[in-house]
Amino acid sequence: MPPRIKILEALGAIADGRVRVVSDREAIVVSSEGDRSYRVYVDLEKRVAYSDDNGTRYRGYVGYPIAAFLMLRGVLPFRRDLAEALRGIRWRQLNEKYKSYSAVEEVIFRELRSRSIDPEEVIKYMEEVMRSLSSLGLRRSSST
């Protein structure tokens, strides 16, 4: 399972229009800085997923590109209001600055509060997505 902040990063990718669905099993997701593209492959029947983002590839969790693709496909819960509130966030810049997902989460929650979004509501949403993701039972494929 990914760090829960990756659920918000997935929403931001969708809001920014950085997810291009190629087929029902494939997508290309552009990084928040715009300098990298990640290939995503998901086969729900075989319960396998792959992406060449760092989280999936090196840390073994379902990275934000996979989560974003599954949200767009209607497999994971999606909240347009939260996505819009997360538009334009430079995720890699925040991750490199704070070097802690919990610290980045606090920065994001402050930003959401300033946009009149209750962080407790956001936490409930992230937990809902994490439960849905867990129930899929996806295994990491070594490649497509």
Side-chain angles (χ1 to χ4, degrees), residues 80-144:
R80 181 157 304 282
D81 62 326
L82 290 181
E84 290 301 321
L86 296 165
R87 181 185 297 275
I89 291 178
R90 306 292 292 265
W91 293 94
R92 187 171 50 185
Q93 185 177 14
L94 288 174
N95 289 332
E96 288 175 0
K97 179 178 180 179
Y98 293 101
K99 300 189 184 321
S100 160
Y101 290 138
S102 60
V104 172
E105 190 173 283
E106 282 306 311
V107 169
I108 297 300
F109 284 175
R110 278 195 304 274
E111 179 63 26
L112 292 173
R113 271 189 214 96
S114 77
R115 298 177 185 196
S116 301
I117 296 175
D118 180 7
E120 289 303 315
E121 182 181 326
V122 177
I123 290 169
K124 287 178 186 174
Y125 167 74
M126 289 190 298
E127 289 170 351
E128 175 187 6
V129 174
M130 296 291 274
R131 281 191 304 274
S132 294
L133 187 56
S134 178
S135 73
L136 293 175
L138 294 174
R139 297 181 328 272
R140 184 176 62 164
S141 171
S142 58
S143 65
T144 56

Side-chain angles (χ1 to χ4, degrees), residues 19 38 57-58 73 75 80 90 95 112 131:
V19 182
Y38 305 114
R57 196 170 185 189
Y58 300 117
R73 289 198 49 213
V75 176
R80 181 157 304 282
R90 306 292 292 265
N95 289 332
L112 292 173
R131 281 191 304 274

